Amino acid sequence: MSNLLQIHNLTKYYVKQVGWLKQQRICALDAVSFTVRQGETVAIIGETGSGKSTLIKLIAGIDTPHAGSIALNGTLLKPYDYKSRCQQIRMIFQDGLASLDPQRNIGQQLLEPLRFNTDWPLAKQHQHVLATLERVGLLAEHFDFYPHMLASGQLARVCIARAILLNPLVIVADEALSALDPSIRAQIINLLIDLKKEMGVSFIFSSHSPELVRHLADKILVLHHGKMLEFDTTVTLITKPKQPLTQALLHMENLRKSV
């Protein structure tokens, strides 16, 4: 597998008002560098405030870095080139219901990315949406459903459908499965594994769940206060972590039995 995504010295800070005239600069991400190969799944773990969500947003293009670069297949991604980023890197949001428009049905919302990013006739767009719904385990009837009519697992499948519509190279997710019941989460994990094999897409996701990391990730990136502590294969970080924090985050005694 060749390197698909190259993250180099990615840095992001925020300014916090601490008085009438004084401001404090808070570093959310400090010179983080790593690569993702084609078809590889990378999990980002860390304590609350470690920079996981910031890193996901920067890769997705939702936010812009203050320093560093992101390259896809050797081509630098420009911060405000939303069209190119939208086609190649797609995001699964944490709150499926909140990320959807309550006033429009599912079909209308899935047609929108095709309308802006392809020159397909409407009939082909419609056919592709129906095929994608089926691909993620939904029915053609769900095209006409509104978000509030769907269960949590169905909403997750709609969000995955929206993410794969344009056959992206990379899919990113920020705690996208954390709110699902364990049985539904297991179904969605299996769906993502199947899609990864079928599409050859690379996944990057943040999670607090050691179980989810173990099932999905080929590699793990550990963040602490915006700095990268470790980046290695899942098996290596489960069996031979270099940092105590990595061991604590992965609940070593439980996971070692499964390796």
Side-chain angles (χ1 to χ4, degrees), residues 85-212:
R85 187 87 64 124
C86 178
Q87 292 172 337
Q88 299 170 330
I89 302 176
R90 303 287 290 173
M91 184 165 184
I92 302 173
F93 292 91
Q94 181 175 4
D95 188 337
L97 186 59
S99 71
L100 295 168
D101 185 346
Q103 303 299 322
R104 296 191 298 159
N105 65 35
I106 298 304
Q108 290 171 325
Q109 298 187 60
L110 293 183
L111 284 169
E112 187 171 41
L114 299 177
R115 182 162 59 91
F116 284 107
N117 294 283
T118 74
D119 56 1
W120 296 349
L122 183 57
K124 184 176 180 179
Q125 294 179 27
H126 192 280
Q127 183 182 23
H128 184 66
V129 168
L130 293 179
T132 304
L133 287 173
E134 182 179 354
R135 195 177 188 183
V136 299
L138 295 171
L139 302 174
E141 298 92 275
H142 288 116
F143 185 100
D144 297 312
F145 278 43
Y146 286 83
H148 72 273
M149 300 167 66
L150 299 174
S152 60
Q154 293 172 323
L155 284 169
R157 291 175 188 273
V158 168
C159 291
I160 293 170
R162 182 172 57 183
I164 68 171
L165 264 177
L166 298 174
N167 292 315
L169 297 174
V170 180
I171 292 177
V172 296
D174 185 17
E175 293 286 349
L177 309 182
S178 60
L180 298 176
D181 292 335
S183 60
I184 297 174
R185 187 186 302 128
Q187 295 173 21
I188 300 301
I189 289 173
N190 289 333
L191 171 62
L192 291 174
I193 292 173
D194 290 342
L195 288 172
K196 175 186 170 182
K197 293 177 181 177
E198 177 187 334
M199 300 174 62
V201 67
S202 298
F203 280 99
I204 304 172
F205 70 97
S206 66
S207 180
H208 284 99
S209 168
E211 179 187 7
L212 189 62

Side-chain angles (χ1 to χ4, degrees), residues 18-56:
V18 293
W20 286 103
L21 300 175
K22 189 176 180 182
Q23 293 181 329
Q24 179 182 6
R25 194 171 81 166
I26 300 172
C27 186
L29 213 61
D30 187 6
V32 171
S33 299
F34 66 100
T35 59
V36 181
R37 294 182 177 182
Q38 183 177 358
E40 191 171 59
T41 297
V42 174
I44 304 169
I45 64 172
E47 301 163 303
T48 300
S50 62
K52 299 188 303 298
S53 294
T54 298
L55 180 54
I56 290 289

